[in-house]
């Protein structure tokens, strides 16, 4: 079906300000589903792309890659979904399907993946995200939402949640031993990392640049300890205490101070996309046989696992729901860390035009 119109909110230049924007959805293929967008999470990556801080932004840019929707239409070859199903869409909506990554259920590392936002379809048209009334997505990149989960609660799991889940799953690797993990940064990804790691049964230390979030980290999120990275005495006392650190900070920050917290052969994995280079002293890695690595979101399989895990454990996200006309203010507040812990846009309940 061609010519279907959608209404979204788009950035048109590096100011990053969003305003209403009308566009055509791509043609619906036999393995595609058409979604009515219900909710969409707000992520720091959206802001970086809106401002062209992660080059190169294609304007007009419709952000949103934590999309919860209801299936409105099915392609002729779609058999696993039904009209009316509640589903989720994350950061990617396509891949080559032929490379080793795709064939090993790691399509998030495919070099020809198509991003939900600021990507390009095979026909050359730009992709548009979930800050819009509707989307067309290939069925492989859609996940069913368990009935136990409220749709608005699911949105942050589709990027922030699986971004934390994938490396934490690899850290723990089914171990029955209680491991000690540090979560660096307590924002959208960080707070979910704390919840997931605790639900997996491990000891969790939150590492933050100030003590402002200590009470909520310990009392509301269930962390076992809290370290202020700017407090040299605290950091020295905790030296060599952690098996792993998950670095969730999406801005320029000091990772050097955190390396001393790792045990011998400890690992620091970066999932926060700082637009500026991070620095460390190589000898601190060498003498402790420590490693610094990265992890990019998660696979479709891991996203499905996370949603089932969330439902099974009865977990909840900490969100603030807002209408679309509040979106620019929401980004301002997110940038100054004034949200606990994730904004979710009520797209279906908003006046988009």
């Amino acid at each position: 079906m061609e010519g279907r119109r959608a209404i979204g909110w788009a950035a048109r230049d590096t100011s990053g300000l969003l305003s209403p924007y009308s566009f055509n959805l791509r043609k619906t293929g036999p393995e595609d589903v058409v979604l009515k967008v219900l909710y969409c999470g707000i992520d720091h990556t959206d802001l970086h792309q809106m401002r062209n801080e992660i080059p190169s932004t294609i304007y007009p840019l419709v952000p949103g890659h934590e999309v919860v929707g209801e299936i409105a239409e099915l392609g002729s070859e779609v058999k696993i979904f039904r009209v009316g199903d509640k589903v989720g869409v994350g950061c990617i909506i396509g891949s080559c399907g032929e490379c080793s990554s795709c064939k090993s259920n790691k399509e998030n590392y495919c070099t020809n993946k198509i991003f939900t936002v600021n990507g390009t379809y095979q026909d050359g048209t730009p992709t548009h995200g979930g800050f819009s009334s509707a989307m067309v997505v290939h069925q492989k990149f859609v996940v069913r939402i368990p009935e136990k989960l409220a749709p608005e609660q699911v949105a942050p799991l589709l990027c922030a949640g699986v971004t934390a889940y994938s490396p934490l799953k690899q850290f723990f690797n089914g171990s029955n031993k209680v491991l000690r993990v540090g979560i660096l940064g307590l924002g959208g990804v960080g707070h979910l990392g704390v919840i997931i790691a605790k639900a997996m049964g491990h000891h969790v230390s939150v590492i933050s640049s100030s003590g402002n979030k200590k009470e909520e980290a310990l009392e509301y999120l269930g962390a076992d300890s809290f370290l202020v990275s700017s407090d040299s005495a605290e950091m020295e006392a905790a030296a060599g205490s952690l098996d792993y650190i998950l670095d969730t900070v999406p801005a320029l920050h000091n990772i050097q101070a955190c390396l001393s917290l790792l045990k011998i052969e400890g690992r620091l994995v970066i999932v926060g996309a700082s637009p500026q280079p991070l620095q460390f002293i190589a000898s601190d890695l060498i003498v402790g046989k420590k490693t610094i690595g990265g992890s990019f979101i998660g696979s479709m399989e891991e996203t499905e696992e996370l949603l089932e895990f969330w439902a099974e454990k009865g977990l909840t996200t900490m969100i603030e729901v807002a209408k679309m006309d509040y979106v620019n203010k929401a980004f301002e507040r997110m940038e100054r860390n004034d949200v606990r812990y994730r904004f979710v846009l009520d797209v279906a309940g908003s006046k988009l035009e």
Side-chain angles (χ1 to χ4, degrees), residues 37-53:
V37 177
L38 303 178
Y39 296 95
C40 190
I42 290 180
D43 184 78
H44 265 93
T45 304
D46 293 318
L47 188 62
H48 291 323
Q49 290 182 321
M50 287 153 51
R51 294 175 175 172
N52 196 31
E53 293 172 344

Side-chain angles (χ1 to χ4, degrees), residues 146-164:
E147 291 184 3
K148 290 182 180 179
L149 300 181
E152 67 274 16
Q153 284 277 320
V154 171
L157 303 180
L158 300 169
C159 172
V162 76
T163 294

Side-chain angles (χ1 to χ4, degrees), residues 2 28 41 106 114 178 183 203 216 228 272 278 316 339 346 350:
E2 295 186 77
T28 305
K106 296 177 182 177
I114 301 173
V178 175
I183 304 294
H203 183 284
E216 55 202 75
V228 178
L278 303 177
T316 57
V339 58
D346 178 4
S350 298

Side-chain angles (χ1 to χ4, degrees), residues 42-48 329-339 341-343:
I42 290 180
D43 184 78
H44 265 93
T45 304
D46 293 318
L47 188 62
H48 291 323
K329 182 68 174 179
F331 274 111
E332 289 177 13
R333 286 181 51 197
M334 181 190 71
E335 191 169 23
R336 62 175 186 263
N337 211 18
D338 179 25
V339 58
Y341 280 94
R342 200 74 162 180
F343 277 113

Side-chain angles (χ1 to χ4, degrees), residues 3 39 54 90 118 157 173 190 211 258 287:
Y39 296 95
I54 302 178
N118 205 42
L157 303 180
N173 195 27
C258 295
V287 297

Side-chain angles (χ1 to χ4, degrees), residues 85-108:
D85 282 351
K86 302 294 191 301
V87 295
V89 176
C91 294
I92 61 173
I93 54 173
S95 68
C96 76
E98 299 296 330
C99 67
S100 59
S101 294
C102 288
K103 290 182 177 180
S104 59
N105 291 324
K106 296 177 182 177
E107 62 284 327
N108 47 315

